[in-house]
Every structure is written in structure tokens, then in C-alpha cells.
Amino acid sequence: MCDAKSQSLILVGLLFNCLEMIFSANTGFSVSIFDVTSRSIYLIWPKFSGASSYRVTATAVNTVGHSLLAHFSDGTLKGTLTSLIPNTIYAIQAEAIDKNGIILAETQIMQSTAPDIPVIDQAYSKLSNSITVEWRAVPGATSYLLTAQDGDSFIETVVTNSPGTVTGLKPATLYRITIRSINSGGKSQPSPFRKAKTVLAAPVLSVSSPSCDSIAVSWRAVYMAAGFSVSLMRSDGLGRMLKENTTNTSLIFKNLDPGTLYTIKAYAWNVNGIPGDDFTYNQRTIPCAPVNISIEEGEPGRLLVSWSHVNFGHYYVVFVKSDDGLEVHCNTSRTQCHFQSDCGFTYFISIFAYNKAGQSPLGDVFNYTTAPCCPSDFRAVVASSDTVRVTWAPVRGAEIYQTSAAGRGGLRLCNDTATACTLSALQCDTRYSITVYSFSEARGSNTSCASKDVATAPCSPEIKSISKEALSVVSVHWQSNNEAATYIVTARGEAGLWHCTSSGNSCTLINLPCGSAFSVSAIARSPAGQSLPSYSVPLETAPCCPKDLILTQVTQSVTNVSWSVGMGARTYITALESPKGQAKCHTLQNYCLLGCIACGTNYTVSLKAISETGLTSSCTYQGYSSSACCPSGVKLYRLGNNGIRVYWRASDETINYNTDLHGSKGNFTCTPRSGLSHCDITEIPCGDVYTVVVSPVTDKGMKLTFCPKKIYSVTCSGSSVGMVIYRGKSNAEQQI
């Protein structure tokens, strides 16, 4: 029975050794395995209701008489079974027990322990990125876990047997190496560690053949390297091997065979002389470089490159690279090549010879700089009669520019690094041939630059005279020094601008305002531009005649003449003329009193406006007629009881008169018929003093106010007019 039971348990263990947990169908109580080592199994279970303790029994399935019993309190829900046999299947039974010792629930699980802990025999490095480990096999182990630890970092790898190799390591680095055995149950504890150091990394070679009989080898420094070994041998096995030990990072093998393939091997060694990884490289020495290279520019835009023949050279490749990065090449079996070129470029030229062995080393690199480009799109602007401003865009290859202007006045040159030049001291009204040349230090001047014809602006005219043709018209005359130009004359003043234009040597300014001062200048204009203005010549027009002139007779022999201001006038002369005589005055004012005027006379009126410089304008106006003469011999006579007769002597029987009497008791007026020299006023109050004036009446019916006034007293005789007594002239009359 025991044997049958043991066989059954072994079968169950073999079937379920991968299971971590088995549940009790009746109670739901379960146990979980969360870790396994060679001699320990770690368990965990959930709390079971009513249980005060737990009992765990582990029985070796394939080993008789080996079992382990452990008790755990109710507060402990996990436990460890120790002192187990490595690589052994255990039947583990867990029971939940109440405080009375009654088993409330139970469950069972099968679990194998891990194999025994391996022991490392040796650990060593043959490559810079790996360490190899050797150990004795552990019974029951299906694989092994190798671990290489460097500080906090580590690398693991799983192998099936010894020896095993950990890869992905850093060169020249010391690692702690451990190993764990693995089966289906788990992993053993790590073995005691062994220290091992990876070997040095291989130097990464950079190999070239600088000449047809040498090979240059260089490499970067290798970490922890104390020195390097480099060997070279023909790849076909002929000849002897050359080997060099050095602490440098470069060396050159010389006296080699041209066009031959060599194998180069190199490794680094540390202070203990232990070699690291090696690096192998094949390099051929390929024919000698061509020599006697010449470069010619037979014509602009075409380069000819030629060289000497190279022994064992079957064909040649010429590379021409411009300084903007563009590269072209020529493949030929001849010893010359043609290339297109552009102005202002530097070309770098290298030539290689080829044969079946390959390419020759790089020989001398030649450079050739073409002439700088021409500023073909330059712009010339005439700034004045003797100055031209020339500008252009920068051109490739130019370091300095020369601008030349050639004309009948000679040659003018301007040198500058800027892309602009001002040509001055040129002759006016002259055609120049302007060229902008470019220069470079490497190639000199580009003399193939095109020219442009530019004409300077016309010469300034010189005003010779100004003549007055009429009151508001003047002619301006100048001297013309230009071949073909239009002249514009401008009169500039406070009154505005006046112009006239001519292609000859004179023009007329019309409608000039009177009484104005002008500055007259002339310019010449042509398609090339405009000249500077001539020197200005002053011009003054005659004063303006006053628009309004008013004559007012102040007394019988005095007339006041007033007028509006005449523009430009400083003084005035006004005159009244008739066959009876002339009245005249010269004044700074705009009015004048003229005396000795004959009454009843027709006068011509004239006025002269005179400027500060003496220019005179003669102005005529409508004729003037002085008023009729005042009557003389004015007397008053009593006429009946209440009437008065005013009597006078008329200066002309055709004149009508008006009589006015002014008193404190009333004012009285009478106008007799034409031809009469008296006038009667009836019903005049007596006992009053009267002012009497008799005045001629003008054609427009107006009375003159300057005739003499006489004073009479009219007395009363009872209620009637008594005596009429002459009292003399009025005070106002006497003052006049």
C-alpha cells in the first residue's frame, strides 16, 4: 500500500509540478508558492475563518523518511519551509486548525525544490565584450543563469551547460560573476562570485595609402591600453610580415610594392601584456599620382588641364571642384582635359591615375582662380552737370572696382571696394564712355567689361540782359553753350512764379504783375538731365496805378484828391490841369490837397506812381469839373410886413441857386427859377438872427456846403418885420 501510494504521489508530482496552487474543493482553503530555492519553499495563504493556527507538512515524494512539520499562528499568513533537499519533489499539506485543535480545512500542493548551488571553476575573457565561465554540472539542473555585475548594472544570460559565455559587456571592465542552477521548480541561490575582467577593445583602424609605396595606419586611443601591436603582410602571402609595437596611435609602413593588396592586423595590450581584440583591414597601394600638372585658360570660360604620363596608368580621372561646392570630372586615357569655367571662381583640381590595381594616391591639389566677373548691369545716373553717380551689384570674385569715364574732357578714374562711385569734375553737356572694371588679387583685372555711353547734363546758361517790352512784358536774353537743350526762364517773387521756354537764346515773360520784385534765373534741360540754375538777375516791374481815385472839393478853390495804394509805389505825383492853370502835389501819402482851383472849370486828372528805385507808372483817370462859383453880394431886404428878399450877384446866368436861412425860430429854403438872382421868403418870424447862405446847385441836385455864410438880424416892428441888420460872416466861415 505504501509503495502504491508513493508511486501515485510521484505521478501526481510529475503531472502538476508546474502548478503553484491547488484549491480544496470542499472548503475553498488554498496555499500559494511565491518563491523556491535549492533548500527552501516560500508559502502564502489567505486567512481562514475560525482558524487560530495553521499546520504545514512537507513530505519528500521520492525520498523515504524525510518530512518536515511547521506550525504558524493565526497572525501569520505566510511561511518558509527550510532544510529541504535540493532537486526534490515535496507533497505539501496545509491545515487550518481552530483553538480546540479541530481541523477546519486542508489543502495539498506538489512543489519541487531548485537544483543545488553550482560552484564556478574559472571565469576568463577572450573577447572585449564577453566573459566565459566554467563550472561542474549540478544534478537535476536543466539550465543555468549566468550574471555579470558591474556596480549597480548587471547582465544575465541563460545557458544549458558549461562552459557558458556572458556577452554585451564593456571592454577592460572588472565584473563579479555568479551562476544559478535552474529546473522546473525554480532557481538556486547564486554561487559564490568570481571576479573576471574583460580584455581590451580592438583599435578601430583608419588606413590609407598616401603614396604608391606606403600605407598609413591610425586609430583612436583604446581605454586602458598600454601599447599596440600592428602587423602588415602581403595578402597573397609573398614576402615577409612587418610588425610594429608602439604606444602611439599611428604609424606608416614604407617601401611597399605599388598596386599591391596588404592585410593589416592590430590589437592593444594592457599593462600586464594581455592582448585585447584584434582588428583586420585590407589596403592596396594603387599607382603613383600624376605630376607636372599645368592649368591654362586659353579663352574666357574654358580651362585646359594637362599632366605627364604615369607608368602603369591605364586611364586618368580629373576632378574639378569650384568654391561653391559644385564638382565635375573628366575620364580620359589622354593626358589633358577641357573644362567649362565661370568668372570669379576658384577651382580646385586633383588628378588620379587608374589601373587594374585601382586608384593612385591623391597628389598635389592645384587651384586656379578665373578673372572676376564684370559688373555688366551697372546704372549711371547724372547727378549734376559735372557729376555722374554709378552703382552696380556686387560680382563674384571682385575685390576692388575701377570706374572710368572717357570723353573729350579726358579720362576720369575712380577706385573703390564699394559697389558705387561718383565721377566728378566732368564737363557739362559732354558724352562719356563709362566702364566698370573688376579686380582680384589672384587674377588681376577683367578687361573684357562692356561700356555704356552717358551724357552729362547741359551747362548752366548765363543771363546777359533783361529788356522791358511793355508794361507787363520783359524779354530775357542769355548765352547758350549747349549743343541741344531747352531753356526755361523763371521769374520768382512774392507774387508767384512766371516761366517762359525757348530752345534759342531768349524768351519773353508776359503778364508780369505790376509793382513786384522778381529774381530771374534760367536752366538748360536735355534728355541727359538738367543744368544748375544760372546766376539770378533782379527784376522790378513798374508800380501799379491806384485802382480808385476820388476828388472832393473842400472849398471853392481847394480840392482833396485821395486814391487807393498802388502796389510797389513809394511816392505819388497828382495833377489837375486846365487852360486856366495847373494844380499839382508830390506826396508819400495816398491823398493830397490841391489849391488854386478855378470854380466851374473842367480839369484833366493824372497821377504818377513812383517806386523806390524811380520806376514810374503814369496813370490817367476820368476828367474832373470843379463846382460852380459861389454868388457874391448876398444881401437881405425887407419885403412887406412878414417877407424877406435874398439878393445876390450870379456868376453865370445858367446856374441854379439854393437859398437857406437858419434861425432859432425856424429854417427856411427857397429855390428861384433859373436865371434869377433873388429869392423871396414870406412869413418869416421877426425878432431872430438868421444865417444866410446861397449855394449853386449841381447837375445832380446837390448843394455845395462851402459857400460863405452871412448873419442878419431881423427885428420886429410891432408884429411885422422891422429892420434887417447885417451882422457879418459866421465864425466857421471866418475860420475857413
Side-chain angles (χ1 to χ4, degrees):
M1 290 295 291
C2 292
D3 292 339
K5 183 176 181 180
S6 298
Q7 292 175 359
S8 176
L9 289 174
I10 292 171
L11 180 61
V12 170
L14 293 173
L15 292 175
F16 298 99
N17 57 6
C18 293
L19 296 177
E20 293 184 348
M21 184 167 56
I22 299 176
F23 295 94
S24 172
N26 296 327
T27 63
F29 181 55
S30 62
V31 174
S32 299
I33 305 296
F34 68 88
D35 196 12
V36 175
T37 64
S38 301
R39 296 183 182 276
S40 301
I41 297 177
Y42 298 87
L43 307 172
I44 187 170
W45 57 85
K47 183 176 178 64
F48 193 82
S49 177
S52 62
S53 64
Y54 300 91
R55 182 169 57 205
V56 179
T57 304
T59 303
V61 174
N62 53 359
T63 302
V64 179
H66 185 80
S67 63
L68 181 67
L69 178 65
H71 288 272
F72 303 95
S73 66
D74 179 45
T76 304
L77 300 179
K78 62 181 178 179
T80 303
L81 301 176
T82 59
S83 302
L84 303 179
I85 303 172
N87 194 37
T88 301
I89 298 175
Y90 283 89
I92 301 171
Q93 180 171 310
E95 299 168 322
I97 303 172
D98 66 6
K99 62 183 178 179
N100 297 320
I102 299 174
I103 298 174
L104 301 177
E106 63 180 13
T107 184
Q108 192 175 43
I109 187 172
M110 306 296 291
Q111 177 64 44
S112 173
T113 54
D116 206 353
I117 301 172
V119 177
I120 297 175
D121 291 333
Q122 62 175 335
Y124 51 88
S125 174
K126 290 185 177 181
L127 297 175
S128 62
N129 67 340
S130 67
I131 292 177
T132 300
V133 184
E134 295 182 2
W135 67 92
R136 292 186 296 274
V138 175
T142 58
S143 59
Y144 299 88
L145 177 65
L146 298 179
T147 302
Q149 186 173 1
D150 170 26
D152 294 333
S153 65
F154 61 89
I155 295 178
E156 295 181 333
T157 185
V158 177
V159 298
T160 58
N161 49 37
S162 177
T165 301
V166 183
T167 60
L169 305 182
K170 295 181 289 186
T173 304
L174 184 64
Y175 287 92
R176 290 165 56 106
I177 308 298
T178 59
I179 184 170
R180 302 173 74 176
S181 59
I182 303 173
N183 66 5
S184 60
K187 297 188 288 287
S188 71
Q189 291 93 335
S191 68
F193 68 85
R194 283 285 186 95
K195 289 185 178 181
K197 191 173 187 179
T198 51
V199 297
L200 302 181
V204 179
L205 301 182
S206 176
V207 185
S208 64
S209 179
S211 65
C212 55
D213 64 347
S214 66
I215 289 178
V217 185
S218 63
W219 58 92
R220 292 184 178 179
V222 175
Y223 176 65
M224 298 297 289
F228 303 91
S229 292
V230 184
S231 61
L232 177 142
M233 188 173 182
R234 285 180 59 132
S235 298
D236 56 9
L238 299 177
R240 63 186 182 88
M241 183 179 71
L242 302 177
K243 185 174 182 179
E244 297 282 348
N245 290 332
T246 180
T247 57
N248 297 324
T249 56
S250 65
L251 56 84
I252 297 177
F253 293 97
K254 298 181 179 180
N255 300 321
L256 305 180
D257 298 328
T260 303
L261 185 65
Y262 286 87
T263 298
I264 301 100
K265 182 178 290 188
Y267 63 86
W269 32 267
N270 62 15
V271 292
N272 298 320
I274 299 174
D277 293 348
D278 59 42
F279 187 95
T280 302
Y281 193 92
N282 291 327
Q283 175 67 42
R284 185 183 300 274
T285 53
I286 319 189
C288 296
V291 293
N292 297 327
I293 298 173
S294 67
I295 305 167
E296 299 177 4
E297 190 176 10
E299 59 186 67
R302 188 172 176 86
L303 292 180
L304 173 63
V305 182
S306 58
W307 58 92
S308 298
H309 175 73
V310 175
N311 291 332
F312 308 109
H314 295 168
Y315 66 96
Y316 307 89
V317 177
V318 183
F319 292 91
V320 177
K321 186 174 184 178
S322 59
D323 52 12
D324 65 350
L326 181 65
E327 184 177 70
V328 295
H329 69 277
C330 165
N331 192 325
T332 181
S333 59
R334 303 174 60 190
T335 58
Q336 64 178 21
C337 271
H338 290 277
F339 292 91
Q340 295 293 324
S341 63
D342 288 325
C343 57
F345 276 105
T346 296
Y347 293 92
F348 301 92
I349 300 166
S350 55
I351 306 175
F352 296 90
Y354 288 82
N355 59 18
K356 292 182 179 179
Q359 172 186 295
S360 71
L362 176 64
D364 293 333
V365 177
F366 291 82
N367 64 73
Y368 183 87
T369 301
T370 56
C373 298
C374 288
S376 58
D377 59 342
F378 68 86
R379 181 169 178 260
V381 177
V382 176
S384 65
S385 300
D386 62 351
T387 303
V388 173
R389 175 75 171 170
V390 184
T391 58
W392 58 90
V395 295
R396 192 171 53 245
E399 297 172 355
I400 192 170
Y401 301 93
Q402 182 183 79
T403 306
S404 71
R408 71 169 183 260
L411 182 65
R412 293 287 186 271
L413 296 177
C414 170
N415 296 319
D416 205 333
T417 57
T419 57
C421 179
T422 300
L423 295 167
S424 58
L426 304 179
Q427 287 191 356
C428 57
D429 196 43
T430 302
R431 183 167 296 275
Y432 285 89
S433 177
I434 296 179
T435 310
V436 180
Y437 298 100
S438 54
F439 289 82
S440 70
E441 185 175 345
R443 191 53 55 192
S445 172
N446 189 338
T447 58
S448 63
C449 300
S451 302
K452 288 185 179 179
D453 287 342
V454 177
T456 55
C459 301
S460 298
E462 180 183 359
I463 296 177
K464 291 299 183 179
S465 64
I466 297 178
S467 59
K468 297 181 181 179
E469 305 296 333
L471 182 63
S472 60
V473 178
V474 297
S475 291
V476 182
H477 303 265
W478 59 85
Q479 182 177 341
S480 172
N481 298 321
N482 300 300
E483 292 184 359
T486 300
Y487 298 89
I488 300 172
V489 175
T490 300
R492 184 186 307 271
E494 293 184 359
L497 297 175
W498 274 258
H499 305 281
C500 65
T501 303
S502 173
S503 59
N505 56 7
S506 67
C507 70
T508 302
L509 293 168
I510 61 174
N511 297 324
L512 293 176
C514 57
S516 300
F518 297 94
S519 175
V520 180
S521 63
I523 61 169
R525 185 176 293 169
S526 72
Q530 179 175 297
S531 73
L532 294 173
S534 67
Y535 294 116
S536 296
V537 175
L539 170 64
E540 180 185 2
T541 56
C544 298
C545 289
K547 291 184 178 180
D548 301 315
L549 185 138
I550 301 173
L551 291 95
T552 304
Q553 193 158 349
V554 179
T555 67
Q556 186 167 286
S557 63
V558 178
T559 296
N560 181 61
V561 184
S562 63
W563 54 89
S564 59
V565 175
M567 180 70 71
R570 175 62 174 162
T571 62
Y572 303 90
I573 297 177
T574 183
L576 297 180
E577 294 186 54
S578 73
K580 296 180 180 180
Q582 180 189 58
K584 185 177 182 181
C585 76
H586 191 181
T587 180
L588 291 170
Q589 310 299 326
N590 61 336
Y591 60 89
C592 185
L593 286 175
L594 296 176
C596 301
I597 301 298
C599 56
T601 304
N602 292 328
Y603 287 89
T604 59
V605 181
S606 65
L607 182 144
K608 290 184 179 180
I610 305 170
S611 71
E612 287 187 357
T613 60
L615 292 178
T616 303
S617 292
S618 297
C619 312
T620 58
Y621 298 90
Q622 184 178 358
Y624 167 70
S625 296
S626 61
S627 63
C629 298
C630 292
S632 60
V634 176
K635 295 180 180 180
L636 260 65
Y637 297 96
R638 177 170 177 260
L639 183 66
N641 292 332
N642 295 317
I644 291 295
R645 170 169 288 185
V646 181
Y647 174 82
W648 60 87
R649 288 193 299 272
S651 60
D652 191 340
E653 294 181 354
T654 61
I655 297 175
N656 294 327
Y657 293 92
N658 184 78
T659 301
D660 292 305
L661 277 75
H662 301 281
S664 62
K665 295 181 180 181
N667 297 323
F668 302 92
T669 300
C670 70
T671 303
R673 296 192 310 272
S674 178
L676 294 180
S677 58
H678 67 272
C679 181
D680 296 334
I681 299 174
T682 60
E683 301 298 331
I684 188 170
C686 63
D688 199 358
V689 177
Y690 291 94
T691 300
V692 181
V693 60
V694 180
S695 303
V697 179
T698 66
D699 295 339
K700 297 180 180 179
M702 297 179 59
K703 294 185 295 183
L704 299 180
T705 60
F706 50 76
C707 288
K709 298 178 178 61
K710 293 185 177 182
I711 300 174
Y712 286 87
S713 296
V714 179
T715 62
C716 292
S717 176
S719 59
S720 301
V721 173
M723 295 179 65
V724 177
I725 304 170
Y726 175 64
R727 297 284 188 178
K729 295 183 178 180
S730 68
N731 292 334
E733 181 74 15
Q734 293 173 356
Q735 290 176 358
I736 293 175

